[in-house]
Amino acid sequence: MIRADFPVLARTVRNGNPLVYLDSGATSQKPVQVLDAERSFYELHNGAAHRGTHLLGEEATDVYEGARAKVAAFIGADVGEVVFTKNATEAINLVAYAMSNATVTGGSSRFRVLPGDEILITEMEHHANLVPWQQLCERTGATLRWLSVTPDGRLDLDDLDRMITGRTKLVAVTHQSNVTGTIPPVTDIARAAHEKGALVLADAAQSVPHQPVDVATLGADFLAFSGHKMLGPYGIGVLFGRADLLEAMPPFLTGGSMIEVVRMEGSTFLPPPQRFEPGVPAVAEAAGLGAAVDYLSGLGMSAVAAHEESLTAHTLDALREINGVRILGPDTTKDRGGAVAFEVEGVHPHDVGQVLDELGVAVRTGHHCAWPLHRALGVQASTRATFYVYNTHAEVDALADGIRYAQRFFGARQ
């Protein structure tokens, strides 16, 4: 029944093959409920939220703030702790640039970063949770440090207490690797960081769409994720921030909608979350995201996670049976999400992906915006299958059959 909600899954692709979509880690497909929510806004309620006193403006504001309330409830946050951004990448940059601004303007000491201070990340990070911190260190003179990964793709936490020091300003860590599916113990990392007075940001782009996430339990001070990876539209993401931290944090982008009083001599800014949402709000996108939250809530996130764990276990078993295939990362589903990256001996990942595409199987190839992690695992690139609510066990079998066909096609196996 779920698949019927996703029109794209009924189409055929290359050579008349049915679409087997195994690239939800890059972007998810959209159910009709999300498409209808966006269309309904434009057809019936199109107005600028938080601007104007006419009916359409009021309805747009209700749609926008209603979506914020749904997202807040979905992750166990207060409404005022949910900031809408373009995507997870912008959400992470918002925090990094706010720390720069606090350094320049003499803002809260929680955010000021000075020479000799440290930012701690991990070798597992997506570039979106790596490059912004590199840039912050370049702007401020701080030192970037990182936790390494073990050969099986998990975080090496043996030196965690030594790596977090009194100079550590922030620890940034993924909540689920977009390559190996590894789920680091963010709660434990956050506890260790807070004992040293450091802030914690979790990249949840790969976790919030796929498993129950409660920000109070997780313990991170900031959490970033994207709408388009959780059945929602492009162009909208979320930054969760603890209320006291958002209140003390200077803005990143400035302009209309986020100001309190403007004079030629200077300006003051609205409280969070509006302080961090300049310009006309993306109401249609918020409507779609709210509908996506409703859809996932209707399924139940525990059921979503269980379905993906079943598919992942099937995939790990199927790939282990193919000679010449190396699975990157953990070989069990313990503390592991629905992303399975692998290499095929004697066949370049791009060639594997092309052959699979000819068979109708859509996967991701390359370094998946996680180049350091691939280097740490001893490969330059990989092929990756990622799963979601609409995938089936038959599609896992199609992936395995396609890999065998690719081996035969390139003469890697008889």
Side-chain angles (χ1 to χ4, degrees):
M1 292 296 294
I2 289 176
R3 288 177 66 86
D5 291 333
F6 296 83
V8 70
L9 300 181
R11 67 165 292 187
T12 56
V13 286
R14 299 193 196 279
N15 304 313
N17 288 302
L19 172 64
V20 176
Y21 188 76
L22 302 180
D23 196 22
S24 294
T27 193
S28 63
Q29 297 300 333
K30 322 302 175 191
V32 291
Q33 292 86 342
V34 168
L35 305 178
D36 288 346
E38 288 197 80
R39 185 182 303 109
S40 175
F41 171 75
Y42 280 127
E43 289 179 345
L44 301 175
H45 311 291
N46 185 40
H50 292 297
R51 300 183 182 205
T53 56
H54 52 72
L55 179 61
L56 293 184
E58 292 177 358
E59 290 175 343
T61 301
D62 289 342
V63 169
Y64 188 68
E65 294 303 329
R68 192 194 308 276
K70 290 179 180 180
V71 171
F74 190 67
I75 60 172
D78 291 334
V79 173
E81 296 177 318
V82 170
V83 177
F84 284 137
T85 62
K86 285 192 304 185
N87 45 43
T89 300
E90 183 179 83
I92 295 168
N93 273 275
L94 192 162
V95 177
Y97 274 93
M99 295 178 79
S100 290
N101 292 345
T103 303
V104 172
T105 62
S108 169
S109 60
R110 297 300 304 276
F111 299 106
R112 288 200 302 269
V113 181
L114 303 173
D117 286 339
E118 298 170 354
I119 303 294
L120 179 64
I121 61 171
T122 85
E123 210 171 22
M124 191 181 291
E125 302 308 313
H126 186 285
H127 296 164
N129 202 28
L130 164 59
V131 179
W133 307 117
Q134 291 176 333
Q135 293 291 297
L136 174 63
C137 289
E138 287 188 16
R139 291 193 299 270
T140 62
T143 300
L144 187 71
R145 307 182 75 193
W146 56 87
L147 298 167
S148 60
V149 297
T150 62
D152 67 346
R154 298 193 184 277
L155 272 189
D156 186 348
L157 298 176
D158 289 345
D159 290 335
L160 180 64
D161 289 338
R162 181 180 63 81
M163 293 292 285
I164 303 176
T165 73
R167 298 306 302 266
T168 304
K169 298 294 292 188
L170 180 137
V171 178
V173 58
T174 184
H175 192 204
Q176 178 180 311
S177 168
N178 72 307
V179 177
T180 64
T182 302
I183 300 173
V186 172
T187 300
D188 295 338
I189 294 170
R191 186 180 303 113
H194 290 154
E195 288 175 356
K196 300 287 183 65
L199 298 172
V200 178
L201 180 144
D203 175 1
Q206 300 291 335
S207 61
V208 165
H210 303 285
Q211 60 180 274
V213 173
D214 180 86
V215 292
T217 302
L218 190 65
D221 301 296
F222 299 100
L223 192 80
F225 56 97
S226 294
H228 74 94
K229 295 182 188 291
M230 54 183 293
L231 310 182
Y234 296 104
I236 189 165
V238 173
L239 173 69
F240 157 80
R242 277 181 24 216
D244 60 314
L245 294 174
L246 291 181
E247 184 62 39
M249 199 163 77
F252 165 31
L253 300 172
T254 56
S257 297
M258 51 77 67
I259 50 84
E260 183 180 52
V261 176
V262 175
R263 295 186 175 88
M264 294 308 296
E265 296 80 8
S267 303
T268 57
F269 308 123
L270 289 172
Q274 285 77 20
R275 180 187 302 165
F276 306 105
E277 297 178 358
V280 177
V283 187
E285 290 82 354
L289 179 57
V293 168
D294 287 341
Y295 191 94
L296 291 170
S297 297
L299 295 177
M301 291 309 296
S302 293
V304 170
H307 176 66
E308 290 188 28
E309 183 177 11
S310 176
L311 293 172
T312 303
H314 184 176
T315 304
L316 294 174
D317 289 341
L319 267 56
R320 273 194 293 264
E321 293 177 357
I322 305 175
N323 291 330
V325 172
R326 175 197 171 195
I327 297 169
L328 303 183
D331 62 358
T332 73
T333 59
K334 178 177 172 53
D335 297 326
R336 191 193 211 287
V340 180
F342 56 92
E343 61 171 343
V344 179
E345 183 182 350
V347 187
H348 193 281
H350 293 168
D351 292 329
V352 175
Q354 184 173 355
V355 169
L356 289 173
D357 186 47
E358 292 294 323
L359 299 173
V361 181
V363 295
R364 174 87 179 267
T365 64
H367 53 67
H368 319 311
C369 296
W371 221 334
L373 176 57
H374 276 79
R375 290 195 187 98
L377 296 175
V379 295
Q380 282 297 308
S382 64
T383 306
R384 184 192 71 181
T386 47
F387 309 106
Y388 212 3
V389 296
Y390 35 67
N391 290 124
T392 68
H393 287 275
E395 292 179 321
V396 173
D397 292 333
L399 170 67
D401 289 343
I403 294 170
R404 290 188 177 94
Y405 177 79
Q407 288 178 317
R408 293 193 301 271
F409 184 88
F410 287 102
R413 282 290 184 277
Q414 298 300 317

